[in-house]
Amino acid sequence: MTQTLLVLGSANADLVVEVGRRPAGGETVLGGDTVVLPGGKGANTAVAAARVGAAVSLVGALGGDGYGSLLRESLESSGVGTALVKTSGRPTGIAYITVTPDGENSIVVSPGANSDVLKSDVDGLELDGVAVLTCSLEVPLETVVHAIGVASEAGVRTVLNLSPVAELPAETLRQLSVLIVNEHEAAQLASDWTGLLDLGPHAAIVTLGARGAAVVERTGVTEVPSIEVAEVVDTTGAGDAFAGALSARLTEGDDLVQAARYAAKVAALSVTKAGAQPSYPTAAEVGAAAG
């Protein structure tokens, strides 16, 4: 199966509860009603890309349970190919998310079926016609490392959203076309943004939340501003929205700064609605947004 964009990563059910404040250690606080939404870094990235027009398939795993059905339906209704999403004997991954009134979130992830995304799944991929492979790290690290190596050897552009931060082989970092990190993750990896390139990737992007993003290339650093939005409702999945939109534009031939500018707009629009995948804008909505 060939697609313009392949996303390898997790698919989780997001169990979201609004709280007035996060509990301290040993403390119990009351929250609002639990809302179940489709999420997971891989699925989010794929849906964000599909919403803005990319031909995209997800490589991942779901449990044969109700949460798995919810996720598969969300992916397919958004236009994401699911032929490469296998059914695991383990339960579908779950993310437990608390959201405070300022829209910020804290997340605990139970990987479940995502742990069954294996190197053998990568070996079965047909990469002819694939322009970009985008990975994130809620699936086994060895699978991601293997996928980046296979794609790089096949001449496919490789993008890695290094979240959560993990130690990667030097060879894997050298095989990366684009490394995406947020500013906190960047600080864990290097003393400054340009130091990210010393790790090996051809280019890096540091996402800066409401401030946009910084594109780090050998020729220098270009800061890309975000757009102003009226209200921040929920920041869940905003980084995944950025990664998906960036990958979509790279498959269309945009240069990295153009792609990042577009992705920053998509990420900004995503925080104006609740949830991850349900909040992602269409290409028409992005085009109509100011900025």
Side-chain angles (χ1 to χ4, degrees):
M1 180 179 184
T2 59
Q3 292 288 339
T4 303
L5 170 63
L6 284 182
V7 174
L8 185 148
S10 61
N12 295 323
D14 287 352
L15 275 55
V16 184
V17 60
E18 294 185 356
V19 294
R21 60 181 177 82
R22 296 183 185 90
E27 181 185 19
T28 298
V29 299
L30 292 178
D33 292 344
T34 298
V35 178
V36 181
L37 297 168
K41 285 188 173 296
N44 290 350
T45 299
V47 167
R51 289 271 173 86
V52 296
V56 54
S57 285
L58 177 67
V59 183
L62 294 168
D65 48 32
Y67 290 142
S69 299
L70 168 77
L71 282 155
R72 200 173 289 272
E73 180 181 344
S74 177
L75 290 164
E76 292 173 352
S77 65
S78 298
V80 177
T82 59
L84 301 174
V85 179
K86 69 181 184 182
T87 301
S88 165
R90 301 183 67 165
T92 298
I94 296 177
Y96 301 91
I97 303 172
T98 60
V99 181
T100 48
D102 59 0
E104 289 298 320
N105 59 71
S106 294
I107 305 173
V108 175
V109 174
S110 172
N114 295 304
S115 298
D116 277 348
V117 182
L118 307 174
K119 292 195 290 184
S120 57
D121 298 321
V122 174
D123 292 331
L125 297 178
E126 172 56 64
L127 295 178
D128 261 358
V130 175
V132 176
L133 170 75
T134 298
C135 301
S136 53
L137 292 183
E138 288 178 343
V139 295
L141 181 61
E142 60 268 22
T143 303
V144 172
V145 167
H146 185 58
I148 291 169
V150 168
S152 177
E153 289 178 14
V156 174
R157 199 169 189 179
T158 54
V159 178
L160 175 63
N161 184 9
L162 190 60
S163 179
V165 168
E167 188 172 345
L168 294 172
E171 179 62 20
T172 301
L173 288 164
R174 287 193 292 269
Q175 291 167 333
L176 282 180
S177 303
V178 184
L179 171 68
I180 303 174
V181 290
N182 64 32
E183 55 188 326
H184 307 294
E185 293 157 349
Q188 294 179 53
L189 294 169
S191 58
D192 57 39
W193 293 345
T194 57
L196 294 171
L197 300 188
D198 295 334
L199 300 175
H202 296 286
I205 293 180
V206 181
T207 58
L208 305 172
R211 307 199 316 277
V215 179
V216 185
E217 299 176 285
R218 303 291 173 186
T219 53
V221 177
T222 304
E223 292 199 38
V224 174
S226 184
I227 59 171
E228 290 189 16
V229 295
E231 181 184 9
V232 175
V233 174
D234 183 4
T235 60
T236 304
D240 304 329
F242 182 96
L246 179 94
S247 301
R249 294 313 308 170
L250 291 177
T251 66
E252 294 296 322
D254 282 9
D255 66 34
L256 199 52
V257 171
Q258 290 173 320
R261 195 179 306 277
Y262 185 88
K265 184 182 290 189
V266 169
L269 292 173
S270 78
V271 306
T272 63
K273 299 178 183 178
Q277 292 172 33
S279 75
Y280 294 158
T282 63
E285 290 169 332
V286 178

